[in-house]
């Protein structure tokens, strides 16, 4: 086994502080965390000679608070970094927050509205200052909540995407991209929020099925008419063509002609485009290039004009009777006018269809042609794809790679400008004579009459895309950048694979001379409720993790989340599971407390195997196998498996078996008891260290009490000594089999757990003879005295346990009960066998029905074997 960290001078391994009888997380967690921070355990030294291990926190919004998704992700990252710290790495978990442009601006605007003031009343400079004041007073509450969870982040390195250093990085890379002609300004279709009055990213658009109407409208007359269908009739005012598929014979005679657009008097061409699906609807679509992204592409291919018919508030601007109407008012009015002209062919309402909404204010977004700043992603995306294809970056789980390549191989240019006041302002100035100047961080902007700065700010994802290197001091070549870049791993949800991960890949490779920002991308799923349903306030199933922490402790929440964390798979969680994890923490506490009360120690070397009992050799053999298994699972990001392995080893093997078996040894005393006390101390020491990264608080309290050392946070990670004893493992497995079978038989006979019965154990010729005292203790078996008569005999694992139940149960009544159960099982077996022998049934029945019948048959057969054995074990008479 591995050696422990050096001890404090004022304490030794036998100076165990007395543990309270019950574990109270609220009395332990906060105090321990502050001690960890005060002692600097989580800080990272760029001058250290240790091998680095770096992970950045996916920066939460400054407006946010801890939700279960954060708790899940942070638990995984914290476990990884705590283990690496124990393994001797110079570990950096980089914390920080995102300025969250649109979300933060909305929060402050709502605060202003309570005062009867708008941002326009304040003006831009005063409003931005007000946001900074809000950030200082109210922003970042999530930092305190991260402490509650136990996040081992380097707080002295905390960064904010709008701080001075990161702002310099943003301005530097913008100018570099601009000079390399990878940033440009152009008029394109974007997602527009008429409430927030800004372009928004795809991730800020939430789609839901809304009830609308599908209206079919006839354009033109007679044989030269075409029917098109739309859910947004108001956009017809901006139609500049009707498109059909090139191979659609129905409209071949009209291609190249013009058709009258109703209500407007304008004539528009009929064009062909392969984007049109001839099988959908009438096979003809209206083309509104300024208000639909697909139509915009068609318009570009055919040189169609772009007619904008709505302003930034989604109010109609087209000349005519609909001018000044809101888009929804205009929709109704236009359909009414078309109906009056006899141009409505059909109307379907309600018509459920997917509609995008602003994730911040829930307003229906409007595709809108707008002048914006864009990143030309072609070469950047190719480099990002190559980095994964060439093996320089690994995506885990591997099957997520396809989704990654789907993004990087088919990326559209990235709209990076936002019409907000809070954020990194575009570093571009416009001159009075059409001059355009991009200004770097150390350059003076042009001044004089007529010079103005671009009013837009950058997309929040632009600055967060720089996070792995900007937080380390880039563009300066700092010691931290040299030491901790590239990151060892990125742990994040698959839902932002494109929005954040791909963009970090593009920017990291570009800024850092082809070095990717991380070696591994470890993707996890989303947290859902116990029924697999998405958590949402509107569904009434959202959970505040702080409430669960208050009730059950942070360790319980962390262990529950880790135990459900399979790579790339969504995580269901329910309160009863957190309760079970709380029970596990209590089990660890009680077992360690028992061990300390019985002299478990880490003092001195472990006795050599030859001086140990089979029980001691068994648990040490199992312990080393668990160390190896846990390491393998960590390296493969298999948190569910490593947590489950530790749970069953600690609860089943250590606490339920080894501790119970040791009680008999301790009662006997002597050299064997002393050896077992040292083995028990070793097993608890290693088990607590293995558990620590996932459940840090209870393990810290127990480990320091057990060892007398400073902190498990800085203890050595356990190593596999290679010790295995298969013979001892088989011996204890046989013992477990005997105890389990006899316990089951006792329960089947209706005996109470504590009820003692006379028994004779026939163990000669087996390796179980040395365990007779332990077996009698575990099974509540009295010695077989004079006049003992075996009324039941159980042959198990080469041994025989003979029991005298004459004074414990009514033999005849028990025989009748078992005979009745046996008849029922035989009847069920006959019925299922008949069905499975029926070829007609097998041919017609669904697979799941057949599987259910087979399961019933197997259960019946097992019941018959079990009951028959019980009957045979009853005394004759």
């Amino acid at each position: 086994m591995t050696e422990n960290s050096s001890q404090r001078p004022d304490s030794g391994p036998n100076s165990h502080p007395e543990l309270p009888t019950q574990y109270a997380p609220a009395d332990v967690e906060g105090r321990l965390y502050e001690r960890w921070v005060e002692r600097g355990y989580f800080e990272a030294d760029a001058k250290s000679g240790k091998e680095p291990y770096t992970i950045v926190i996916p920066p939460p919004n400054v407006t946010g608070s801890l939700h279960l998704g954060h708790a899940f992700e942070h638990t995984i990252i914290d476990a990884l970094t705590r283990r690496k710290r124990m393994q001797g790495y110079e570990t950096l978990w980089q914390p920080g927050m995102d300025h969250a442009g649109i979300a933060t601006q909305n929060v402050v605007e709502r605060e202003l509205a309570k005062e009867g003031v708008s941002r326009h009343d304040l003006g831009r400079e005063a409003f931005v200052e007000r946001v900074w004041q809000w950030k200082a007073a109210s922003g970042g509450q999530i930092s305190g909540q991260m402490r509650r969870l136990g996040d081992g982040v380097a707080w002295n390195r905390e960064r904010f995407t709008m701080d001075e250093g990161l702002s310099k990085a943003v301005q530097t890379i913008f100018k570099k991209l601009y000079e390399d002609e990878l940033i440009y300004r152009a008029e394109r279709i974007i997602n527009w929020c008429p409430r927030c009055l800004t372009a928004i990213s795809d991730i800020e658009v939430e789609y839901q099925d809304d009830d609308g109407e599908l209206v079919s409208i006839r354009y033109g007359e007679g044989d030269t008419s075409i029917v098109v269908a739309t859910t947004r009739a108001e956009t017809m005012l901006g139609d500049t063509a009707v498109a059909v598929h090139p191979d659609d014979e129905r409209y071949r005679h009209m291609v190249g002609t013009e058709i009258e657009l109703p209500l407007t008097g304008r004539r528009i061409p009929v064009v062909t485009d392969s984007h049109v699906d001839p099988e959908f609807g009438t096979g003809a679509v209206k083309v509104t290039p300024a208000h639909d992204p697909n139509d915009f592409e068609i318009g570009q291919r055919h040189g169609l004009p772009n007619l904008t018919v709505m302003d930034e508030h989604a109010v109609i601007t087209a000349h005519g009777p609909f001018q000044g109407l809101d888009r929804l008012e205009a929709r109704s009015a236009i359909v009414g006018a078309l109906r009056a002209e006899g141009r409505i062919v059909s109307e379907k309402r309600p018509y459920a269809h997917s509609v995008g909404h602003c994730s911040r204010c829930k307003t229906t977004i409007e595709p809108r042609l707008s002048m914006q700043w864009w990143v030309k992603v072609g070469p950047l995306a190719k480099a990002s794809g190559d980095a994964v294809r060439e093996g320089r970056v690994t995506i885990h789980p591997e099957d997520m790679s396809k989704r990654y390549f789907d993004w990087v191989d088919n990326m559209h240019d990235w709209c990076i400008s936002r019409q907000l006041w809070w954020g990194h302002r575009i570093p571009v100035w416009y001159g009075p004579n059409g001059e355009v100047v991009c200004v770097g961080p150390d350059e003076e902007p042009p001044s004089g009459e007529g010079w103005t700065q671009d009013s837009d700010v950058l997309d929040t994802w632009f600055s967060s895309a720089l996070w792995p290197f900007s937080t380390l001091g880039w563009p300066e070549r700092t010691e931290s950048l040299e030491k901790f870049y590239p990151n060892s791993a990125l742990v994040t949800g698959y839902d932002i694979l494109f929005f954040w991960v791909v963009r970090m890949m593009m920017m990291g490779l570009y800024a850092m001379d082809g070095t990717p920002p991380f070696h591994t991308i470890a993707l996890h799923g989303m947290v859902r409720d116990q029924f697999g349903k998405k958590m949402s306030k509107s569904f009434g199933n959202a959970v505040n993790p702080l409430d669960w922490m208050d009730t059950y402790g942070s360790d319980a929440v962390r262990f529950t989340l880790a135990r459900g964390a399979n790579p790339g798979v969504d995580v269901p969680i329910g309160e009863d599971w957190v309760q079970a994890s709380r029970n596990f923490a209590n089990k660890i506490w009680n077992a360690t407390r028992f061990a300390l009360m019985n002299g478990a120690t880490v003092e001195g070397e472990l006795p050599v195997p030859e001086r140990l009992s089979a029980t001691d050799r068994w648990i040490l053999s199992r312990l080393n196998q668990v160390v190896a298994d846990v390491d393998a699972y960590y390296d493969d990001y298999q948190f569910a498996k490593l947590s489950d392995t530790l749970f069953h080893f600690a609860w089943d093997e250590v606490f339920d078996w080894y501790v119970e078996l040791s009680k008999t040894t301790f009662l006997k005393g002597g050299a064997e008891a002393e050896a077992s006390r040292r083995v028990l101390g070793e097993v608890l020491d290693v088990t607590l260290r293995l558990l620590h990264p996932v459940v840090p608080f209870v393990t810290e309290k127990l480990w320091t009490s057990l060892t007398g050392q400073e902190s498990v946070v800085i203890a050595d990670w356990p190593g596999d000594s290679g010790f295995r004893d298969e013979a001892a493992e088989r011996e204890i497995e046989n013992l477990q089999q005997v105890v389990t079978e006899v316990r089951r038989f006792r329960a089947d006979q209706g005996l109470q757990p504590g009820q003692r019965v006379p028994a004779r154990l026939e163990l000669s010729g087996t390796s179980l003879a040395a365990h007779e005292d332990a077996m009698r203790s575990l099974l509540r078996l009295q010695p077989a005295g004079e006049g003992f008569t075996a009324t039941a005999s159980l042959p198990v694992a080469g041994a025989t346990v003979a029991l005298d139940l004459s004074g414990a149960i009514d033999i005849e009544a028990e025989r009748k009960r078992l005979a009745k159960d046996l008849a029922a099982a035989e009847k069920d077996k006959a019925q299922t066998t008949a069905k499975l022998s029926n070829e007609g049934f097998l041919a017609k029945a669904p697979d799941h029905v057949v599987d259910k019948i087979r399961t019933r048959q197997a259960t019946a057969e097992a019941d018959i074997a079990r009951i028959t054995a019980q009957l045979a074990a009853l005394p004759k008479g």
Side-chain angles (χ1 to χ4, degrees):
M1 310 308 295
T2 58
E3 295 182 359
N4 299 319
S5 304
S6 57
Q7 298 172 3
R8 293 187 307 235
D10 60 344
S11 64
N14 289 323
S15 58
H16 305 307
E18 186 174 343
L19 292 171
T21 56
Q22 292 184 328
Y23 177 50
D27 297 339
V28 172
E29 294 177 348
R31 179 165 42 84
L32 287 182
Y33 188 85
E34 290 310 313
R35 188 174 74 183
W36 293 336
V37 173
E38 288 168 6
R39 293 181 176 179
Y41 293 158
F42 305 140
E43 306 308 338
D45 182 4
K47 299 180 184 296
S48 162
K50 299 177 181 178
E51 184 178 348
Y53 184 82
T54 316
I55 291 183
V56 294
I57 190 173
N61 287 352
V62 68
T63 60
S65 60
L66 193 74
H67 56 65
L68 270 177
H70 288 128
F72 173 54
E73 186 168 79
H74 291 199
T75 294
I76 293 175
I77 300 175
D78 195 42
L80 287 169
T81 53
R82 283 179 183 270
R83 172 177 176 254
K84 286 296 183 180
R85 188 178 295 112
M86 295 172 75
Q87 287 181 317
Y89 288 79
E90 192 62 44
T91 302
L92 170 60
W93 182 9
Q94 173 67 56
M97 287 182 292
D98 192 284
H99 65 278
I102 191 169
T104 306
Q105 180 158 318
N106 280 346
V107 167
V108 178
E109 284 197 78
R110 284 196 295 269
E111 292 296 314
L112 290 175
K114 296 175 184 176
E115 305 170 15
V117 179
S118 74
R119 63 182 168 108
H120 300 286
D121 295 328
L122 293 180
R124 183 167 192 148
E125 187 174 338
F127 175 77
V128 170
E129 177 57 32
R130 182 67 178 262
V131 180
W132 278 109
Q133 293 172 6
W134 174 87
K135 191 258 182 187
S138 306
Q141 62 173 313
I142 200 169
S143 295
Q145 296 165 346
M146 288 166 58
R147 292 170 181 263
R148 283 286 312 278
L149 188 64
D151 286 4
V153 300
W155 287 113
N156 69 337
R157 291 172 173 267
E158 187 173 12
R159 303 303 299 269
F160 180 55
T161 50
M162 286 278 286
D163 68 28
E164 182 178 354
L166 269 64
S167 295
K168 179 179 181 180
V170 167
Q171 199 169 349
T172 299
I173 203 163
F174 185 99
K175 180 162 187 181
K176 179 173 170 61
L177 288 163
Y178 181 83
E179 291 180 342
D180 287 346
E181 298 184 349
L182 293 173
I183 280 183
Y184 64 95
R185 195 167 184 244
E187 196 174 40
R188 299 278 184 83
I189 291 281
I190 45 87
N191 300 311
W192 180 264
C193 176
R195 156 62 183 80
C196 299
L197 299 180
T198 180
I200 60 176
S201 68
D202 290 342
I203 198 173
E204 293 167 319
V205 179
E206 293 179 347
Y207 288 90
Q208 66 185 48
D209 284 343
D210 287 357
D211 282 340
E213 60 180 353
L214 181 65
V215 181
S216 296
I217 309 168
R218 178 171 51 82
Y219 288 13
E221 303 292 345
D223 292 339
T224 58
S225 67
I226 295 180
V227 175
V228 299
T230 182
T231 58
R232 303 169 66 223
E234 69 278 10
T235 63
M236 68 163 290
L237 300 176
D239 287 0
T240 56
V242 170
V244 298
H245 193 273
D247 299 330
D248 196 331
E249 294 293 338
R250 292 171 295 178
Y251 303 111
R252 186 171 298 279
H253 66 290
M254 296 187 64
V255 173
T257 67
E258 290 188 339
I259 193 169
E260 184 173 327
L261 179 66
L263 305 182
T264 66
R266 285 193 293 113
R267 296 188 68 80
I268 57 177
V270 177
V271 300
T272 62
D273 197 278
S274 58
H275 171 74
V276 179
D277 180 2
E279 303 298 324
F280 182 78
T282 63
V285 297
K286 57 192 287 299
V287 182
T288 319
H291 294 278
D292 183 274
N294 294 321
D295 292 4
F296 178 78
E297 298 296 333
I298 293 175
Q300 292 291 294
R301 287 193 287 270
H302 294 277
L304 301 175
N306 302 315
L307 296 185
T308 300
V309 295
M310 277 182 268
D311 65 14
E312 65 270 23
H313 297 279
V315 171
I316 300 299
T317 58
H319 294 294
F322 312 108
Q323 187 174 6
L325 295 179
D326 171 84
R327 56 183 165 169
L328 298 182
E329 296 172 331
R331 182 177 302 171
S332 178
I334 288 170
V335 170
L338 291 168
R339 190 183 297 113
E341 288 191 4
R343 294 202 170 269
I344 299 297
V345 176
S346 66
E347 297 177 70
K348 183 178 181 180
R349 64 168 68 90
Y351 177 74
H353 61 123
S354 182
V355 178
H357 297 260
C358 174
S359 63
R360 304 299 175 189
C361 67
K362 310 309 177 186
T363 302
T364 301
I365 63 105
E366 190 66 44
R368 174 179 167 81
L369 188 64
S370 178
M371 182 67 75
Q372 302 285 345
W373 285 93
W374 304 81
V375 172
K376 186 184 297 182
V377 300
L380 303 175
K382 182 181 184 304
S384 301
D386 291 344
V388 175
R389 287 189 171 96
E390 294 166 3
R392 289 182 288 139
V393 178
T394 301
I395 295 179
H396 189 89
E398 195 277 333
D399 58 9
M400 286 285 177
S401 298
K402 181 181 183 303
R403 185 179 298 193
Y404 176 85
F405 292 129
D406 285 345
W407 282 117
V408 297
D409 295 343
N410 300 285
M411 281 186 71
H412 298 292
D413 285 359
W414 172 17
C415 177
I416 57 172
S417 47
R418 299 291 181 265
Q419 290 64 56
L420 303 170
W421 287 358
W422 172 245
H424 297 100
R425 196 162 174 181
I426 302 283
V428 171
W429 272 255
Y430 305 108
N433 299 311
E435 302 96 331
V436 179
V437 177
C438 181
V439 177
D442 300 319
E443 301 171 348
E444 288 295 325
S447 58
E449 186 175 351
W451 283 94
T452 59
Q453 185 178 359
D454 194 298
S455 60
D456 289 351
V457 300
L458 287 164
D459 177 13
T460 297
W461 296 103
F462 188 89
S463 52
S464 61
L466 317 183
W467 192 248
F469 54 91
S470 64
T471 53
L472 298 173
W474 188 91
E476 307 302 326
R477 285 284 174 175
T478 64
E479 286 183 324
S480 290
L481 188 66
E482 295 294 333
K483 176 78 172 182
F484 296 113
Y485 186 93
N487 289 191
S488 307
L490 172 74
V491 178
T492 191
Y494 63 68
D495 58 321
I496 55 173
L497 177 59
F498 167 65
F499 303 105
W500 189 44
V501 179
V502 170
R503 288 166 177 174
M504 282 192 291
M505 284 286 284
M506 292 194 302
M507 293 301 196
L509 288 160
Y510 175 75
M512 297 300 293
D513 303 320
T515 302
F518 18 73
H519 297 301
T520 301
I521 300 169
L523 299 171
H524 60 72
M526 304 295 102
V527 178
R528 298 181 178 271
D529 70 13
Q530 65 266 44
F531 306 109
K533 189 175 182 180
K534 179 182 178 181
M535 284 192 172
S536 167
K537 290 181 180 178
S538 60
F539 294 158
N541 64 349
V543 173
N544 183 348
L546 296 175
D547 293 339
W548 280 354
M549 289 184 213
D550 290 340
T551 304
Y552 305 110
S554 298
D555 283 333
V557 174
R558 289 171 62 115
F559 192 72
T560 304
L561 291 164
R563 205 171 176 195
N566 290 296
V569 179
D570 289 347
V571 182
I573 185 172
E575 187 167 3
D576 54 340
W577 303 339
V578 186
Q579 292 174 356
S581 295
R582 185 269 316 273
N583 296 342
F584 179 52
N586 290 341
K587 185 81 170 180
I588 301 170
W589 181 272
N590 293 334
T592 306
R593 186 170 178 273
F594 164 84
L596 293 176
M597 291 172 61
N598 284 274
T601 181
V602 296
E603 185 177 10
E605 294 295 323
L606 275 174
V608 295
E610 292 75 16
R611 292 179 53 200
L612 295 176
S613 68
T615 304
D616 290 338
R617 286 182 279 114
W618 159 71
I619 198 64
L620 290 176
S621 181
R622 288 293 303 126
L623 178 66
N624 277 286
Q625 184 61 58
V626 167
V627 170
D629 291 344
V630 168
D631 274 331
Y633 289 141
Y634 261 114
D635 293 341
D636 200 32
Y637 300 91
Q638 297 280 358
F639 282 88
K641 290 183 179 179
L642 74 87
S643 299
D644 214 46
T645 296
L646 287 170
F647 174 86
H648 287 293
F649 175 71
W651 191 304
D652 299 342
E653 298 185 76
V654 178
F655 304 148
D656 277 358
W657 283 106
Y658 183 69
V659 168
E660 290 300 314
L661 291 170
S662 298
K663 288 178 180 178
T664 306
T665 306
F666 294 156
L667 285 173
K668 289 181 178 179
E672 186 176 344
E674 288 304 310
S676 290
R677 289 188 177 97
R678 179 64 186 89
V679 171
L680 179 55
E682 181 77 7
V683 171
L684 287 174
D685 168 22
V686 174
T687 301
L688 291 171
R689 282 187 279 155
L690 289 173
L691 282 165
H692 172 73
V694 181
V695 284
F697 294 110
V698 68
T699 51
E700 169 80 340
K701 182 65 177 176
L702 294 175
W703 190 84
T704 54
S705 297
L706 172 70
T707 66
Q709 296 179 32
E710 182 179 338
S711 174
V712 70
V713 177
I714 55 172
D716 292 336
W717 180 252
D720 175 9
S721 70
F723 173 73
R724 300 289 192 278
D725 192 325
E726 294 182 2
E729 290 193 33
R730 285 194 301 270
E731 183 171 325
I732 301 305
E733 285 171 6
N734 288 337
L735 183 152
Q736 292 171 330
Q737 187 178 352
V738 172
V739 172
T740 300
E741 287 300 318
V742 175
R743 280 176 172 171
R744 181 181 295 118
F745 178 78
R746 287 175 54 107
D748 288 340
Q749 305 307 314
L751 295 177
Q752 295 301 312
Q755 187 175 353
R756 292 187 173 274
V757 296
R760 182 175 61 246
L761 277 59
E762 298 172 6
L763 307 176
S764 60
T766 74
S767 59
L768 297 176
H771 304 286
E772 180 168 353
D773 289 345
M775 292 166 68
R776 286 187 177 276
S777 175
L778 292 170
L779 291 170
R780 304 294 191 268
L781 302 179
Q782 296 175 348
E786 290 186 16
F788 173 83
T789 301
T791 60
S793 185
L794 300 176
V796 186
T800 300
V801 179
L803 304 169
D804 181 0
L805 305 180
S806 57
I809 62 171
D810 183 335
I811 303 296
E812 192 55 39
E814 184 63 17
R815 183 176 285 110
K816 289 180 179 179
R817 183 185 72 80
L818 290 173
K820 183 179 179 180
D821 291 347
L822 180 60
E826 288 174 336
K827 180 180 178 181
D828 204 31
K829 179 187 176 183
Q831 290 175 341
T832 54
T833 300
K835 283 191 175 182
L836 294 174
S837 301
N838 186 334
E839 295 297 334
F841 169 77
L842 294 175
K844 295 179 181 179
D847 289 345
H848 72 275
V849 172
V850 176
D851 289 342
K852 187 175 181 181
I853 298 296
R854 288 198 175 107
T855 301
R856 276 181 55 200
Q857 183 190 52
T859 301
E861 289 173 344
D863 287 344
I864 291 169
R866 174 179 56 82
I867 297 168
T868 301
Q870 291 175 22
L871 282 167
L874 289 176
K876 304 296 186 288

